[in-house]
């Protein structure tokens, strides 16, 4: 019973919580916070139970588990098919962890205009969309969850965001939608070209068996690529991201960076590569090139930023570039590195946005010049946290940022056989070198940021302002992330051990 | 057909229509004996008539047999019943949103409800009509009450202008339609839809005949406000009482599509390679023009009017992929049209219901009137957002199912036109979200002007409509198989 219903219960529990919260009378609006906390904690514990069950239960850490397949729209053979494997499991659990921590964080601070009831029900709705995307094994269902995140995030940015919130919210929505409608058309094309189903498992088998012709694959891949690339976001589709991240409230930024971006890269691993393997080989060099451009471009933009939040936002463009470079190699090593990179980026950048959000809340400004340095003086603990996560993010071994980047670069040195046969070995090695230069630039801008923000002498007005250091609630929300940063950095096999068998299974179509 | 056959009447088959007819006459009669504010009690009578008719439709559906009257002119089958059920549900909601509106205006209540029920009588005849003459009668029975209802706000110049435009366009298109029908009759020698199809597939395609099919399609194009026959729509919608606007944008449009379905998929099916590409171009123009014009609207009703023009474009997409003789594809296209119309009905009436509620406080109907609605009336604001997002085709709402159905057949056709249409719908979806989100932004993210207006009091009937349709909009997404399955059951295409 639990086996079949576990994912459904866990995915829709936050939705039920959101409905409950809307029933709270307006006069007792603060009661929304403990309810959201309780619901998200319970959901997080359920996701941990699923994680534990995956190892201890029948699959024993391999293959699909917790499957449930119920017919939904029989006319078009769209089903409610959910399952989980080693690729989705870490992202699935991470989404619950981050939402739970965000619920904790709202006890500390919620941006103007407050209204925790509306905010938290949107956050829980968002959680259902995020988690559902990672467990959907039907293209229509995947698309439903994929789009489900748009509306809550639109309102989170648009109501609780910074000065340019309305512009940023609409831009976020329209960019993502623009990509995804073409993805939907490509999904339907897969239905008609293949075995007449939207089931991802069946389509993967069809892809491995070579049922799709090359011309068809090129077009379908293009459609899917548009949808996913906007979400990742890959250069040159990234322009919504700096605006959305910068203007979003802290919780919105954390979830956007921590989970929403991963939906795009996850889609490449789950859908684009295994179902359309031949087109993947043709597109891989382009994806690799765009990824490296993103790495370098992101780093150069970061060097030029004067806004702390915008800087972190652009750093995401670069980090997602490493993830995409790993995927573009089409090797198990590269894809493992990509998933590791997603988890690492989710934890670290989520944490960075928490820290930056808290700094902004105290300084009432995101501009580096306004802060003027010396955070280590005014708020020593806050400065230490920021320094630690910034260093983790720039990829210092043995913190997790390092593993994602260096393994992706290593994979680019040895791309898949098919790419070597097509004469792209040198090309990928050039990409590797350029990516390595990107890591240096990354270190450069983060150290530059630390120097300007945390070090030096604090301006007199901030020394006299008596800024409060990290609060107990903030420690509560952050310490799990800080601990995990150290843990998966020191023992990367915690993630690689989960992902490796599943990645090999998915890449069989590519002859890996 | 001989006289015996033509005069054979199956009263059970006609029962829903008779119930509506009876209710309409009763309303007209009773209103004479009511005075002052009590005149509003004609509304429940009309509602009762609609419910009785709905009961008959359910009974006919349970009965299951295919029935006919007047020879084969009037047929009751799954297709007809699906549309009748839909029209009656729409009628119910239109009556509910009319109650408060007309009891406050206090004019022409008896006339209004009589005309409304008469129009719905025409709509119910439409899907049963399997004869060109019968189709024309049904179409005019929908149109003529519409002309009058659009002008019911006599004191308002915009209402006069809108009704006048509607009338002139309507009469012109009726003439064009009749002209086309007469040519078709001249060539085929019959007025039954099946007979026309049989004759067309046997004979040579004559250029004049092709022109005649386009005349007929143009006649229906007016009804569904497809570009370039849409010019009346925004002015008429803006000038008409808002319940009438909801009626024109949903019910009358759906009736036009029902007629178009019968004419194109049954009678003119053999000539599909001529009219389908034409409708493809019309579809692209309609959705694009509707959406682009809606972008700049500051009046809420005009915005919804152009939005409904754009939706007509989406519904035309399945028509454009029809291929002669390809029964499987045509059946899918047919069911996509039904899915879209049913979904569109729920979400669009809902949107108009919210507009009526808000218009009680803000008769100007400007989009800026909605500023701060999320604070004042969170329930209405959530419902309005749901309807708008659903109109945009975002899951998990029924609008997504409708868009999916349209994309599905466009891709299924696999032709260049199909792909172009799919791309056009995709791009238009993004454009449409610009203005739907603009309204959502005003509702939730803008502060109300000082002094803050009173919260909107929708009242029982309107509140029930808004809440009920919001639930339907969500529920029909989850229950998409029911919607799609029902549409699939109701497919009516030329046999063979």
């Amino acid at each position: 019973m639990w086996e079949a219903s576990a994912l459904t219960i866990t995915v829709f529990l936050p939705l039920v919580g959101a409905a409950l919260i809307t029933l709270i009378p307006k006069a007792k609006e603060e009661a929304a916070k403990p309810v959201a906390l309780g619901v998200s904690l319970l959901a997080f514990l359920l996701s941990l139970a699923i994680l534990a069950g995956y190892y201890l239960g029948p699959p024993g850490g391999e293959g699909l588990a917790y499957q449930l397949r119920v017919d939904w729209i029989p006319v078009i053979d769209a089903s409610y098919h959910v399952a989980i494997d080693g690729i989705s499991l870490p992202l699935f659990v991470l989404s619950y962890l981050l939402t739970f921590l965000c619920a904790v964080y709202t006890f500390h601070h919620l941006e103007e205009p407050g209204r925790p009831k509306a905010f938290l029900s949107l956050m829980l709705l968002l959680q259902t969309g995020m988690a559902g995307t990672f467990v959907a094994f039907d293209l229509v269902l995947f698309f439903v969850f994929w789009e489900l995140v748009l509306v809550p995030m639109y309102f989170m940015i648009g109501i609780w965001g910074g000065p340019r919130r309305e512009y940023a919210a609409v831009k976020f929505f329209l960019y993502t939608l623009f990509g995804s409608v073409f993805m939907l058309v490509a999904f339907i094309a897969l239905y008609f070209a293949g075995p007449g189903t939207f089931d991802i498992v069946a389509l993967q088998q069809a892809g491995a068996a070579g049922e799709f012709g090359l011309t068809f694959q090129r077009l379908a891949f293009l459609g899917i690529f548009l949808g996913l690339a906007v979400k990742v976001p890959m250069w040159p589709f990234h322009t919504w991201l700096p605006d959305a991240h910068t203007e979003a409230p802290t919780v919105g930024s954390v979830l956007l960076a921590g989970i929403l971006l991963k939906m795009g890269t996850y889609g490449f691993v789950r859908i684009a590569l295994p179902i359309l393997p031949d087109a993947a080989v043709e597109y891989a060099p382009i994806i690799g090139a765009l990824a490296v451009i993103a790495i370098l471009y992101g780093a150069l933009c970061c060097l030029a930023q004067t806004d702390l939040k915008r800087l972190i936002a652009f750093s995401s463009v670069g980090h997602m570039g490493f993830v995409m470079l790993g995927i573009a190699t089409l090797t198990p090593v590269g894809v493992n590195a990509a998933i590791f990179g997603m988890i690492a980026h989710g934890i670290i950048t989520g944490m960075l946005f928490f820290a930056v959000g808290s700094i902004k809340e105290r300084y009432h400004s995101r501009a580096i010049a306004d802060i003027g340095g010396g955070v280590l003086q005014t708020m020593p603990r806050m400065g230490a946290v920021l320094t630690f996560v910034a260093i983790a993010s720039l990829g210092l071994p043995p913190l997790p940022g390092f593993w994602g980047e260096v393994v992706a670069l290593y994979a680019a040195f040895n791309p898949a056989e098919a790419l070597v046969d097509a004469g792209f070995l040198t090309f990928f090695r050039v990409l590797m070198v350029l990516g390595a230069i990107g890591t240096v630039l990354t270190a450069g801008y983060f150290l530059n940021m630390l120097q300007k923000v945390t070090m030096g002498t604090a301006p007199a007005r901030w020394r006299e302002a008596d800024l409060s250091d990290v609060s107990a609630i903030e420690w509560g929300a952050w310490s799990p992330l800080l601990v995990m940063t150290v843990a998966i950095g020191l023992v990367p096999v915690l993630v690689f051990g989960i992902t490796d068998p599943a990645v090999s299974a998915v890449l069989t179509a590519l002859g890996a | 057909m001989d006289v015996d056959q033509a005069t054979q009447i199956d009263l059970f088959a006609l029962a829903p229509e008779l119930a509506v007819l009876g209710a309409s006459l009763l309303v007209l009669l009773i209103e004479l004996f009511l005075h002052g504010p009590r005149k509003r009690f004609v509304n429940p009578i009309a509602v009762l008539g609609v419910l009785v008719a709905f009961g008959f439709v359910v009974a006919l559906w349970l009965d299951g047999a295919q029935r006919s009257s007047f020879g084969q002119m009037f047929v009751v089958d799954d297709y007809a019943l699906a549309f009748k059920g839909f029209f009656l549900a729409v009628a119910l909601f239109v009556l509910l949103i009319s109650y408060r509106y007309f009891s406050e205006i206090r004019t022409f209540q008896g006339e209004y409800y009589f005309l409304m029920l008469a129009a719905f009588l025409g709509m119910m005849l439409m899907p049963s009509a399997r004869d060109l003459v019968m189709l024309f009668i049904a179409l005019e029975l929908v149109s003529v009450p519409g002309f009058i209802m659009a002008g019911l706000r006599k004191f308002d110049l915009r209402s006069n202008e809108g009704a006048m435009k509607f009338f002139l366009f309507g009469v012109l298109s009726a003439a064009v339609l009749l002209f086309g029908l007469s040519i078709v009759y001249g060539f085929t020698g019959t007025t039954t839809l099946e007979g026309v199809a049989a004759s067309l597939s046997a004979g040579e395609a004559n250029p004049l005949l092709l022109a005649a099919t386009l005349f007929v399609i143009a006649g229906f194009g007016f009804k569904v406000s497809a570009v370039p026959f849409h010019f009346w729509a925004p002015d008429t919608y803006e000038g008409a009482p808002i319940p009438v606007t909801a009626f024109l944008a949903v019910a009358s449009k759906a009736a036009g599509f029902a007629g178009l379905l019968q004419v194109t998929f049954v009678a003119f099916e053999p000539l599909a390679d001529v009219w389908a590409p034409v409708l493809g171009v019309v579809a692209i123009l309609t959705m694009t023009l509707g959406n682009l014009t809606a972008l700049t609207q500051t009046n809420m009703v005009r915005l919804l009017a152009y939005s409904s023009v754009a939706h007509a474009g989406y519904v035309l997409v399945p028509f454009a992929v029809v291929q002669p003789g390809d029964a499987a594809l045509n059946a899918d296209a047919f069911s996509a049209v039904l899915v879209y119309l049913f979904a569109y009905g729920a979400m669009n009436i809902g949107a108009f219901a919210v507009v009526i509620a808000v218009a009680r406080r803000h008769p100007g109907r400007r989009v800026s009137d909605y500023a701060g609605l999320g604070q004042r009336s969170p329930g209405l604001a959530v419902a309005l957002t749901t309807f708008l997002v659903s109109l945009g085709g975002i899951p998990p709402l029924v609008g997504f199912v409708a868009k999916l159905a349209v994309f599905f057949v466009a891709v299924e056709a696999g032709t260049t036109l199909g792909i172009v249409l799919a791309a056009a719908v995709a791009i238009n979806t993004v454009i449409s979200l610009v203005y739907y989100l603009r309204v959502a932004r005003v509702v939730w993210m803008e502060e109300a002007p000082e002094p803050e207006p009173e919260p909107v009091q929708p009242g029982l009937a309107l509140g029930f409509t808004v809440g009920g349709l919001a639930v339907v909009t969500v529920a029909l997404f989850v229950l998409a198989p029911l919607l799609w399955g029902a549409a699939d059951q109701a497919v009516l295409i030329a046999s063979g």
Side-chain angles (χ1 to χ4, degrees):
Chain A
M1 204 45 218
W2 166 249
E3 187 69 24
S5 58
L7 288 177
T8 307
I9 295 174
T10 315
V11 167
F12 289 103
L13 179 70
L15 188 67
V16 175
L20 276 181
I21 287 177
T22 55
L23 297 179
I24 296 173
K26 204 169 183 180
K28 295 181 186 158
E29 195 152 25
E30 286 298 308
K33 289 179 182 175
V35 174
L37 183 72
V39 170
S40 57
L41 175 63
L42 185 59
F44 174 54
L45 292 177
L46 285 176
S47 77
L48 286 181
I50 288 172
L51 177 71
Y54 189 75
Y55 277 97
L56 308 174
E62 277 190 46
L64 293 184
Y66 296 103
Q67 282 218 53
L68 176 64
R69 191 177 195 283
V70 185
D71 274 350
W72 179 37
I73 313 180
V75 186
I76 57 169
D77 199 20
S79 59
Y80 176 79
H81 186 184
V82 290
I84 202 160
D85 70 353
I87 295 172
S88 36
L89 197 50
L91 293 164
F92 182 73
V93 176
L94 181 65
S95 76
Y96 283 96
L97 174 66
L98 283 180
T99 307
F100 166 60
L101 298 180
C102 286
V104 174
Y105 187 80
T106 45
F107 278 94
H108 169 77
H109 178 63
L110 179 57
E111 279 80 357
E112 284 296 315
R115 284 152 68 184
K117 201 177 119 179
F119 186 83
L120 289 167
S121 48
L122 286 173
M123 187 184 82
L124 291 176
L125 180 61
L126 186 68
Q127 162 78 80
T128 293
M130 296 188 298
T133 310
F134 295 129
V135 297
F137 270 77
D138 180 279
L139 290 179
V140 175
L141 189 66
F142 175 86
F143 188 81
V144 167
F145 283 123
W146 170 279
E147 297 252 284
L148 185 57
V149 303
L150 292 186
V151 174
M153 187 49 87
Y154 168 78
F155 283 113
M156 275 169 119
I157 299 173
I159 300 180
W160 289 270
R164 295 172 70 228
R165 56 184 176 265
E166 290 170 8
Y167 168 76
V170 170
K171 197 170 175 184
F172 158 77
F173 198 111
L174 294 181
Y175 264 64
T176 316
L177 184 71
F178 179 79
S180 49
V181 282
F182 286 99
M183 184 167 78
L184 180 64
V185 173
F187 283 174
I188 297 172
L190 285 176
Y191 174 94
F192 285 108
T197 175
F198 284 109
D199 196 276
I200 292 180
V201 177
L203 285 168
Q204 283 178 354
Q205 283 160 359
E211 274 192 35
F212 302 111
L214 187 58
T215 318
F216 170 79
Q217 286 203 23
R218 284 185 191 136
L219 285 171
F221 199 98
L222 183 66
I224 296 176
F225 174 83
L226 270 179
L228 301 175
V230 172
K231 196 84 176 176
V232 169
M234 290 175 72
W235 187 89
F237 305 106
H238 68 282
T239 58
W240 64 268
L241 180 128
D243 290 313
H245 270 68
T246 311
E247 300 303 326
T250 302
V251 167
S253 302
V254 169
L255 294 176
L256 200 53
I259 306 296
L260 260 61
L261 304 189
K262 277 75 195 173
M263 288 163 52
T265 42
Y266 170 79
F268 276 104
V269 178
R270 174 67 72 209
I271 295 169
L273 263 48
I275 298 181
L276 301 166
D278 300 334
V281 172
E282 293 204 337
Y283 278 83
I286 302 171
I287 295 176
L290 293 178
V292 169
I293 293 175
I295 295 171
L296 296 172
Y297 175 84
L300 291 174
C301 284
C302 281
L303 280 170
Q305 292 310 313
T306 57
D307 180 317
L308 199 50
K309 239 178 149 183
R310 215 173 163 82
L311 187 148
I312 313 287
F314 271 110
S315 83
S316 287
V317 175
H319 284 124
M320 294 315 278
F322 280 106
V323 173
M324 287 313 299
L325 180 62
I327 291 173
T329 64
L330 304 179
T331 58
V333 180
V335 174
N336 272 310
I339 299 171
F340 194 94
M342 292 184 219
I343 301 296
H345 179 257
I347 295 172
I348 297 172
T349 307
M351 187 55 232
L352 267 175
F353 274 116
F354 268 137
V356 170
S358 281
I359 290 174
K360 186 213 152 196
E361 174 220 333
R362 288 164 172 84
Y363 282 87
H364 303 290
S365 170
R366 304 181 306 229
I368 295 175
D370 285 347
I371 297 168
V375 172
L376 278 167
Q377 280 183 337
T378 54
M379 299 184 287
R381 293 186 186 86
M382 184 77 80
V385 168
L386 182 65
T387 311
F388 173 72
V389 280
I391 286 174
S393 187
L394 67 81
L396 189 79
L399 295 171
F402 168 74
W403 296 112
E405 291 178 10
V406 86
V407 180
L409 291 175
Y410 168 73
F413 187 75
N414 271 327
E417 283 291 309
L419 291 170
V420 177
D421 292 345
F424 283 108
L425 182 62
T426 320
F427 180 74
F428 268 89
R429 290 190 173 166
V430 171
L431 291 183
M432 185 197 82
V433 173
L434 293 172
I437 295 172
T439 59
V440 179
L441 290 172
T442 308
Y445 68 76
F446 266 119
L447 292 175
N448 182 33
M449 183 273 283
L450 285 177
Q451 189 200 348
K452 283 185 188 160
V453 173
T454 57
M455 293 177 220
T457 313
R461 60 177 175 139
W462 296 126
R463 261 178 293 149
E464 288 150 17
D466 197 22
L467 300 168
S468 60
D469 210 336
V470 181
S471 73
I473 297 171
E474 283 170 317
W475 279 125
W478 298 354
S479 46
L481 294 177
L482 297 172
V483 170
M484 278 181 68
T485 307
V486 177
I488 70 167
L490 291 176
V491 198
V493 76
L494 280 178
V495 175
F496 283 133
I498 303 176
T499 58
D500 192 41
V503 167
S504 304
V506 158
L507 290 186
T508 45
L510 285 152
Chain B
M1 74 189 84
D2 55 59
V3 178
D4 282 351
Q5 211 190 359
T7 50
Q8 247 170 28
I9 296 175
D10 180 347
L11 282 178
F12 186 33
L14 283 167
E17 283 79 6
L18 292 176
V20 173
L21 179 66
S24 68
L25 297 174
L26 208 59
V27 160
L28 197 59
L29 195 68
I30 290 180
E31 199 245 8
L32 292 176
F33 299 99
L34 296 173
H35 295 286
R38 302 181 69 176
K39 280 189 192 292
R40 69 176 189 274
F41 292 123
V42 293
N43 178 296
I45 297 170
V47 169
L48 203 66
V50 167
L51 288 177
V52 170
F54 196 82
F56 281 126
V57 168
V58 172
L60 280 166
W61 177 69
L62 291 175
D63 177 60
Q66 175 165 339
R67 291 162 179 277
S68 58
S69 274
F70 313 115
Q72 290 294 315
M73 283 182 115
F74 181 91
V75 175
V76 176
D77 52 12
D78 282 340
Y79 164 75
L81 287 177
F83 255 116
K84 285 179 194 188
F86 170 68
F87 285 137
L88 287 170
V90 171
L92 182 67
F93 285 116
V94 169
L95 290 174
L96 286 177
I97 61 179
S98 304
Y99 174 67
R100 189 127 178 193
Y101 190 91
F102 277 92
S103 62
E104 284 175 1
I105 289 190
R106 293 187 182 187
T107 47
F108 315 118
Q109 293 201 64
E111 293 84 342
Y112 168 72
Y113 290 113
F114 166 73
L115 290 168
M116 186 59 90
L117 288 175
F120 273 100
L121 180 63
M123 278 174 217
M124 293 174 67
L125 292 177
M126 185 77 84
S128 281
R130 300 302 149 80
D131 186 287
L132 294 175
V133 177
M134 186 74 176
L135 265 180
F136 182 75
I137 293 171
L139 191 72
E140 288 309 291
L141 196 47
V142 178
S143 295
V144 173
F147 301 147
I148 309 171
M149 286 194 288
L152 271 184
R153 293 170 69 234
K154 279 188 175 176
F155 46 86
D156 187 341
L157 277 178
R158 282 177 309 172
S159 187
N160 304 159
E161 181 195 340
M164 194 65 191
K165 276 190 182 164
F166 188 28
F167 174 70
L168 291 177
F169 266 92
V171 172
L172 180 68
S173 70
V176 170
L177 176 65
L178 263 186
F179 184 48
L181 291 180
S182 64
I183 300 176
V184 170
Y185 175 71
F187 272 97
T188 59
T190 173
T191 55
T192 65
L193 299 182
E194 304 253 324
V196 170
S199 168
L200 287 182
S201 55
E204 288 277 302
N206 185 301
L208 189 57
L209 188 57
L210 297 181
T213 60
L214 295 184
F215 281 145
V216 174
I217 289 172
F220 284 101
F222 155 77
K223 202 77 218 150
V224 303
S225 64
V227 173
F229 316 109
H230 71 289
F231 290 106
W232 61 275
D235 289 329
T236 309
Y237 285 12
E238 191 190 352
I242 309 177
V244 175
T245 309
F247 158 83
L248 290 174
V250 176
S252 149
K253 181 172 285 197
F257 273 114
L260 192 60
L261 276 173
Q262 283 147 251
V263 168
T264 52
F265 280 77
V266 180
F268 296 162
E269 194 255 10
L271 301 179
D273 41 3
V274 177
W275 55 257
V278 175
L279 280 181
V281 175
V282 171
I284 294 175
L285 287 178
T286 305
M287 64 178 99
T288 311
L289 202 80
N291 278 324
L292 289 180
T293 324
L295 282 178
T296 58
Q297 300 305 317
T298 55
N299 179 305
M300 189 66 183
V301 176
R302 280 188 90 85
L303 186 141
L304 284 177
Y306 281 108
S307 139
S308 91
V309 171
H311 281 273
Y314 304 142
V315 187
L316 282 172
V317 167
F319 288 93
V321 301
V322 172
Q323 279 156 16
D326 189 344
L329 173 65
N330 295 355
D332 280 353
F334 198 102
S335 88
V337 173
L338 296 186
V339 169
Y340 205 103
L341 286 177
F342 296 165
Y344 170 75
M347 54 203 184
N348 215 31
I349 296 186
F352 275 111
V354 177
V355 172
I356 293 175
V358 175
R360 295 189 61 235
R361 290 255 179 270
H362 306 279
R365 309 164 180 182
R366 291 187 308 272
V367 173
S368 55
D369 293 337
Y370 290 71
L373 190 72
Q375 287 292 305
R376 299 202 294 284
S377 313
L380 274 183
V382 168
L384 179 62
T385 313
T386 309
F387 296 132
L388 292 176
V389 171
S390 180
L391 284 168
I394 305 291
L397 301 164
V398 70
F400 169 70
V401 180
K403 279 267 165 65
L404 183 64
V406 167
F407 276 128
F408 196 75
V409 286
V411 176
E412 181 179 5
T415 53
T416 314
L417 181 62
I419 302 300
V420 171
L421 283 165
V425 175
I427 293 167
N428 269 285
T429 300
V430 180
I431 301 175
S432 71
L433 253 306
V434 174
Y435 59 87
Y436 293 134
L437 286 181
R438 185 159 59 88
V439 178
R441 196 199 71 204
V442 172
V443 167
W444 293 102
M445 299 170 200
E446 282 185 10
E447 295 295 323
E450 295 291 334
E452 187 162 319
E454 296 283 306
V456 174
Q457 308 276 347
L460 193 63
L462 209 49
F464 171 78
T465 308
V466 172
L469 286 174
V471 171
V472 168
T473 305
V474 179
L476 275 186
F477 166 78
V478 180
L479 301 176
L482 284 184
L483 175 67
W484 209 315
D488 237 29
Q489 281 294 310
V491 165
L492 173 86
I493 55 169
S495 45

